[in-house]
Amino acid sequence: MKNTFNILATIILVLSLSATVCAEGWDVPASAKKKQNPYELTKRNISAGKKIFQTTCKSCHGDPGKGNALPLQPPPTDLGSQNFLVQTDGEIFHKIRTGKGAMPTFDKTLNDESKWMVITYLRSLDKTKREAVVAKEIVNPEVTDVKIDLDIDPEHKKLIAQLTGLKKDGKRVGLQGIELSFLVKRAFGQLDISGEEAYTDEKGQLIVQFPTDLPGDREGQANLLVKITDEENYGPIEEKRVVSIAVPTNPKNILSERAMWGTRANAPIWIMATYILGVIGIWGVIFLVLFQVFQLSKMRVKSK
């Protein structure tokens, strides 16, 4: 009996290991392995890839290097680990494109540029590649008191942001090549109106066109937030402003209409009638039961 149990346990273990190996195995063609990433390892490309990663990959793989992937079997790979990053760009591209097992294919979901951007972001996590990133980028001077100044051009509906910092000699200078996010508060979140090339110029300035058809409140006001997209270097720097360049609207108060979501007097008549009849019915049953109990007690007294 003991030998039989050991044999069964061994078979189950072997099958489990086989299933795991089969699920994790990838057959990447040699031609795919040789593919080169056509995009340079720059901060702009890394930032673009990070955004795609956070919306497409993070939900399963978790944060790179944090080991907080979904508890699946087999577990999703930590895409920030050196074991993963030893692969060629072509191998990673092939796996993103084809998918396998629990990982879906992104052949149609992401275009080739987006796939390469994700790979660029992952390469930036490789310790052996970080020096290359710094070498290719504009290096801003060391500054303190970093802030965003925001001007509005109401005639042309343009937002003009300038990112500056204070040098050691007390001179305020513009910070170049920094990505800014322009966000407009909406009912269920924030609308990003930054555009694709939202990076400051040599003066630290960035001009963004405010959408001409974006609705605001009755006075055409909208809540605007401008902030540094990547807080790694300068921290959470932001500027909030109420701008009066949106399209004036007169939104209806949905709670003032007679509808399913209406309150009190604005509730639909049939709901009010159903509620009242239900209450009357319940109390009617209660009184009927009490009446019957009373009648039974009277009959018992008479029978005695």
Side-chain angles (χ1 to χ4, degrees):
M1 183 69 180
K2 186 176 181 180
N3 290 336
T4 304
F5 176 78
N6 290 336
I7 292 171
L8 288 174
T10 303
I11 292 173
I12 293 172
L13 179 61
V14 170
L15 289 175
S16 300
L17 291 174
S18 300
T20 302
V21 171
C22 291
E24 293 182 343
W26 291 81
D27 184 17
V28 181
S31 58
K33 292 181 180 180
K34 295 178 181 178
K35 272 191 174 182
Q36 297 291 324
N37 188 345
Y39 297 93
E40 292 186 340
L41 200 63
T42 63
K43 286 185 179 179
R44 291 193 181 192
N45 293 341
I46 291 169
S47 178
K50 184 177 181 180
K51 288 180 180 178
I52 300 169
F53 176 89
Q54 289 177 334
T55 57
T56 309
C57 315
K58 183 179 176 179
S59 57
C60 290
H61 291 278
D63 297 297
K66 298 292 181 64
N68 57 354
L70 277 183
L72 302 176
Q73 201 54 244
T77 304
D78 182 349
L79 302 184
S81 67
Q82 290 300 124
N83 289 336
F84 173 80
L85 294 172
V86 296
Q87 301 177 91
T88 66
D89 290 348
E91 284 181 280
I92 300 173
F93 183 89
H94 178 81
K95 293 178 179 181
I96 295 173
R97 186 176 65 82
T98 60
K100 187 178 181 68
M103 178 173 169
T105 172
F106 289 93
D107 189 31
K108 304 296 183 183
T109 311
L110 298 176
N111 58 31
D112 286 354
E113 180 180 347
S114 297
K115 296 185 189 77
W116 286 122
M117 288 299 171
V118 171
I119 295 170
T120 303
Y121 165 62
L122 295 176
R123 283 294 175 223
S124 73
L125 306 174
D126 190 342
K127 296 176 182 178
T128 62
K129 304 286 185 181
R130 287 179 184 170
E131 293 181 1
V133 180
V134 176
K136 291 182 180 180
E137 292 298 324
I138 299 167
V139 179
N140 286 302
E142 291 187 11
V143 293
T144 58
D145 189 29
V146 178
K147 67 175 184 177
I148 299 172
D149 293 311
L150 183 63
D151 289 325
I152 314 295
D153 179 358
E155 183 180 354
H156 301 96
K157 289 193 173 185
K158 288 186 177 181
L159 309 171
I160 306 159
Q162 187 166 31
L163 181 67
T164 61
L166 204 62
K167 292 174 63 177
K168 292 181 179 179
D169 59 6
K171 183 180 179 181
R172 184 164 289 278
V173 294
L175 302 176
Q176 182 180 359
I178 307 299
E179 185 179 15
L180 300 181
S181 294
F182 288 70
L183 307 171
V184 178
K185 185 179 179 181
R186 299 282 85 187
F188 300 101
Q190 293 179 319
L191 176 65
D192 192 337
I193 61 171
S194 310
E196 294 183 0
E197 294 293 323
Y199 294 87
T200 55
D201 60 17
E202 63 277 1
K203 296 179 181 179
Q205 193 176 83
L206 175 62
I207 301 175
V208 170
Q209 180 67 53
F210 192 88
T212 56
D213 57 349
L214 189 66
D217 60 14
R218 290 180 177 85
E219 299 176 355
Q221 294 183 336
N223 292 300
L224 176 68
L225 169 65
V226 183
K227 67 174 186 176
I228 294 180
T229 305
D230 190 349
E231 301 176 352
E232 183 178 351
N233 294 323
Y234 300 109
I237 308 298
E238 61 182 38
E239 174 70 15
K240 294 180 180 179
R241 186 78 61 84
V242 177
V243 296
S244 301
I245 54 177
V247 178
T249 57
N250 188 18
K252 293 182 179 179
N253 184 357
I254 60 175
L255 296 179
S256 65
E257 300 176 354
R258 188 178 292 281
M260 284 288 292
W261 50 81
T263 58
R264 297 185 179 180
N266 292 322
I269 294 176
W270 67 269
I271 288 183
M272 297 172 65
T274 303
Y275 172 77
I276 293 171
L277 291 174
V279 172
I280 293 174
I282 291 171
W283 280 107
V285 171
I286 293 173
F287 283 122
L288 179 62
V289 170
L290 292 175
F291 178 75
Q292 293 297 333
V293 171
F294 178 72
Q295 290 293 96
L296 288 173
S297 62
K298 285 179 64 177
M299 291 174 61
R300 185 180 299 174
V301 172
K302 288 181 180 180
S303 63
K304 290 181 179 180

